[in-house]
Amino acid sequence: AYSRVVRLSEGLSESDFLCDSAQERTLVALRQCAKKLEKYQNVTLRCVATEACRKALNASQFLKNVKQTLGFDFKVLSQKEEASLAVKGISGLLDPTYPYALVFDVGGASTEVVLLAQEENHPESTRIVDWISLPLG
């Protein structure tokens, strides 16, 4: 129940680096997440980073800082992993009466487009036919 647009990729296309203000906005949001998570016990997290951290030359240093200050250990996803997770996130919303679905996942630095094939009344059989990750967000 917490969402913030941090624009981590701000200025990335011009400089190939995560800018200081974008890093700070992201840290502020992650601090809020950490604070909210303090209320719970036995929380298992999977922290993932996407296109901005795939492209930025200083991403590893930024993620190291996040781990040292907040304890969040981020893994940078491949484009294929990002597309697959986008599909998993919306799979329950698909109408199984259609044999195909086209999924768009628009992020801050990339857009994943995924073509799915599905069998009516068998949502577990949904499979990725093809996908592409575009450097547009």
Side-chain angles (χ1 to χ4, degrees):
Y2 178 76
S3 177
R4 289 293 178 271
V5 176
V6 295
R7 299 183 330 269
L8 184 59
S9 63
E10 177 186 37
L12 183 60
S13 60
E14 292 86 25
S15 71
D16 293 329
F17 289 91
L18 301 173
C19 72
D20 292 342
S21 59
Q23 289 182 62
E24 185 53 37
R25 284 192 303 270
T26 303
L27 284 170
V28 167
L30 289 173
R31 277 189 201 99
Q32 282 296 107
C33 291
K35 191 173 188 172
K36 289 180 178 293
L37 288 169
E38 288 174 359
K39 299 175 188 176
Y40 304 97
Q41 296 176 359
N42 301 321
V43 174
T44 301
L45 297 176
R46 181 176 183 199
C47 302
V48 298
T50 55
E51 185 70 12
C53 288
R54 284 193 292 266
K55 289 178 67 173
L57 298 176
N58 61 339
S60 60
Q61 182 57 43
F62 171 67
L63 295 177
K64 183 179 177 181
N65 181 32
V66 169
K67 185 175 181 180
Q68 288 175 341
T69 34
L70 299 171
F72 294 150
D73 190 11
F74 277 82
K75 176 190 178 213
V76 179
L77 296 178
S78 70
Q79 293 172 327
K80 185 174 184 178
E81 288 173 308
E82 185 176 359
S84 177
L85 284 178
V87 169
K88 285 181 182 180
I90 59 88
S91 62
L93 303 173
L94 298 173
D95 183 343
T97 62
Y98 291 96
Y100 295 96
L102 192 59
V103 175
F104 293 86
D105 176 25
V106 181
S110 69
T111 297
E112 283 60 50
V113 182
V114 186
L115 176 62
L116 302 174
Q118 52 185 9
E119 293 181 35
E120 189 170 356
N121 300 319
H122 297 285
E124 68 283 351
S125 68
T126 298
R127 65 182 174 80
I128 295 175
V129 174
D130 205 358
W131 65 274
I132 189 169
S133 181
L134 306 169
L136 306 166

